């Protein structure tokens, strides 16, 4: 099993959009995928089904209220895709958890997911590197860093990479899967300049080949609570972008050798 987190210093850069669409693409490519929401704001739950907001989930597991992962995961109509919503953060916070216990609980959660046959765990995080996100990232094998294609992004990237190398020097095994440019305006010179500057600044292969363009369909998909592939009866062309990103992930994490052809048609996700 491979565990992949997303992280960003800045909010609203497209982490949740990435997680939902990437998890959907990976599941369609045959990987048993568990999408985990570690953001107390519950973006993944909100996006996929409004009702998941009241469900128990990740934070209830951390607080010890529910230790059976099987009772926390939500099935979708795609057998390869399951969701672990954020759960009841406020209730869990009242109950409390010892910060020093979080790494061990995360390790338990990852082990439980692996025992359930999960091939790929995708973990969405809150904006910024707070203590919880730091623990989540440290517990994962890889982290994807989405960056908005705007000039400030160029400045924040080295800082983020330094933080991750500090995690590694503290004993974490997490590796950077890559930096993914998001909300790229194809007709904007600023976006194109940022992409070029980052390519020049970073080691080769650090940037994903595929960008995520700024498109209204991503906004609409979030509003409707679906991956962009499910926005319309026939998937819009941009749905294929996430298949490309999934293929890059498979290559970058060594999953590629076992990749299978998609087996499911696009269909409504939740039962
Ligand atoms: N490529 C895109 N094109 C247009 N809109 C986008 C794109 N990606 C994300 N959005 C929109 O931008 C907003 C922020 O995206 P998203 O929630 O994925 O970011 P986030 O990094 O998870 O935010 P937060 O840090 O608050 O959790 C959402 O309304 C989303 O629909
Ligand atoms: Mg989010």
């Amino acid at each position: 099993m491979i565990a992949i987190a997303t992280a960003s210093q800045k909010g609203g850069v497209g982490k949740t959009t990435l997680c939902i669409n990437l998890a959907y693409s990976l599941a369609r490519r045959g990987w048993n995928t568990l999408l985990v929401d570690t953001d107390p704001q519950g973006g993944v739950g909100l996006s996929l089904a409004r009702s998941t907001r009241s469900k128990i989930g990740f934070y209830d597991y951390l607080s010890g209220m529910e230790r059976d992962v099987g009772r926390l995961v939500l099935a979708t109509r795609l057998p390869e895709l399951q969701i672990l919503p954020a759960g009841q953060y406020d209730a869990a916070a009242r109950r409390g958890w010892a910060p020093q216990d979080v790494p061990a609980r995360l390790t338990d959660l990852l082990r439980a997911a692996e025992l359930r046959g999960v091939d790929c765990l995708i973990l969405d995080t809150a904006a910024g590197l707070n203590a919880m996100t730091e623990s989540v990232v440290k517990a994962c094998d890889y982290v994807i860093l989405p960056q908005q294609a705007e000039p400030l992004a160029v400045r924040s990237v080295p800082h983020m990479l330094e933080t991750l190398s500090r995690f590694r020097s503290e004993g974490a095994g997490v590796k950077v899967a890559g930096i993914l440019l998001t909300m790229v305006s194809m007709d904007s010179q600023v976006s194109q300049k940022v992409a070029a500057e980052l390519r020049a600044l970073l080691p080769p292969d650090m940037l994903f080949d595929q960008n995520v363009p700024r498109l209204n369909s991503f906004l609409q998909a979030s509003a409707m609570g679906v991956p962009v592939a499910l926005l319309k009866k026939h998937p819009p062309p941009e749905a294929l972008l996430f298949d490309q990103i999934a293929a890059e992930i498979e290559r970058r994490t060594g999953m590629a050798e076992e990749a299978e052809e998609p087996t499911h048609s696009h269909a409504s996700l939740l039962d």
Side-chain angles (χ1 to χ4, degrees), residues 15-17 39 43 124-125:
K15 291 181 297 300
T16 301
T17 302
D39 181 353
D124 192 16
T125 63

Side-chain angles (χ1 to χ4, degrees), residues 218-271:
F218 289 110
L219 270 172
Q220 289 166 10
S222 302
M224 286 176 63
V226 290
V228 74
L230 300 182
L231 193 57
K232 300 195 178 114
K233 197 168 172 204
H234 299 291
E238 52 270 30
L240 294 177
L241 297 179
F242 282 94
D243 293 341
Q244 303 273 7
I245 293 168
E248 276 197 61
I249 296 279
E250 288 167 1
R251 177 171 61 75
R252 285 163 181 264
T253 62
M255 293 161 74
E257 298 74 35
E258 299 164 52
E260 290 172 10
E261 287 300 306
T263 49
H264 292 275
S265 58
H266 293 285
S268 173
L269 255 189
L270 288 161
D271 289 322

Side-chain angles (χ1 to χ4, degrees), residues 103-183:
R105 293 229 169 141
L106 288 170
T107 305
D108 288 349
L109 177 63
L110 265 57
R111 198 174 298 130
E114 186 156 29
L115 286 173
R116 288 176 59 81
V118 171
D119 302 311
C120 192
L121 208 63
I122 301 290
L123 295 99
D124 192 16
T125 63
L129 277 176
N130 63 25
M132 180 60 68
T133 298
E134 178 170 335
S135 296
V136 168
V137 169
K138 283 178 167 172
C140 286
D141 303 297
Y142 288 94
V143 60
I144 305 175
L145 306 174
Q147 285 287 339
Q148 246 174 297
E150 59 180 41
L152 276 179
V154 181
R155 275 197 251 158
S156 69
V157 167
H159 181 246
M160 195 66 169
L161 293 176
E162 275 161 34
T163 306
L164 287 161
S165 79
R166 173 172 61 80
F167 290 178
R168 287 176 68 80
S169 68
E170 289 168 5
V174 62
K175 295 192 271 292
V176 179
I179 294 173
L180 178 70
L181 277 182
T182 58
M183 307 200 199

Side-chain angles (χ1 to χ4, degrees), residues 28-199:
R28 278 194 22 95
R29 293 167 74 82
W31 301 104
N32 283 323
T33 303
L34 178 61
L35 174 57
V36 182
D37 193 356
T38 76
D39 181 353
Q41 301 288 323
V44 165
L46 274 181
S47 250
L48 287 174
R50 286 174 208 286
S51 62
T52 62
R53 221 179 175 182
S54 57
K55 296 254 172 29
I56 52 175
F58 177 75
Y59 283 97
D60 305 279
Y61 184 86
L62 278 192
S63 73
M65 203 184 85
E66 176 57 70
R67 300 307 305 273
D68 180 355
V69 174
R71 292 167 65 100
L72 295 171
V73 297
L74 302 174
T76 72
R77 292 239 179 100
L78 197 58
E80 290 84 2
L81 179 59
Q82 293 187 313
I83 298 163
L84 175 55
Q88 300 168 338
Y89 175 79
D90 291 340
R94 273 197 300 278
R95 194 183 156 103
W97 58 78
Q100 66 271 20
D101 292 346
V102 168
R105 293 229 169 141
L106 288 170
T107 305
D108 288 349
L109 177 63
L110 265 57
R111 198 174 298 130
E114 186 156 29
L115 286 173
R116 288 176 59 81
V118 171
D119 302 311
C120 192
L121 208 63
I122 301 290
L123 295 99
D124 192 16
T125 63
L129 277 176
N130 63 25
M132 180 60 68
T133 298
E134 178 170 335
S135 296
V136 168
V137 169
K138 283 178 167 172
C140 286
D141 303 297
Y142 288 94
V143 60
I144 305 175
L145 306 174
Q147 285 287 339
Q148 246 174 297
E150 59 180 41
L152 276 179
V154 181
R155 275 197 251 158
S156 69
V157 167
H159 181 246
M160 195 66 169
L161 293 176
E162 275 161 34
T163 306
L164 287 161
S165 79
R166 173 172 61 80
F167 290 178
R168 287 176 68 80
S169 68
E170 289 168 5
V174 62
K175 295 192 271 292
V176 179
I179 294 173
L180 178 70
L181 277 182
T182 58
M183 307 200 199
V184 177
S185 300
M186 301 319 264
D187 52 355
S188 148
Q189 290 190 346
V190 176
S191 274
Q192 301 306 323
K193 189 161 170 273
V194 168
E197 277 181 42
L198 273 175
R199 257 179 233 289

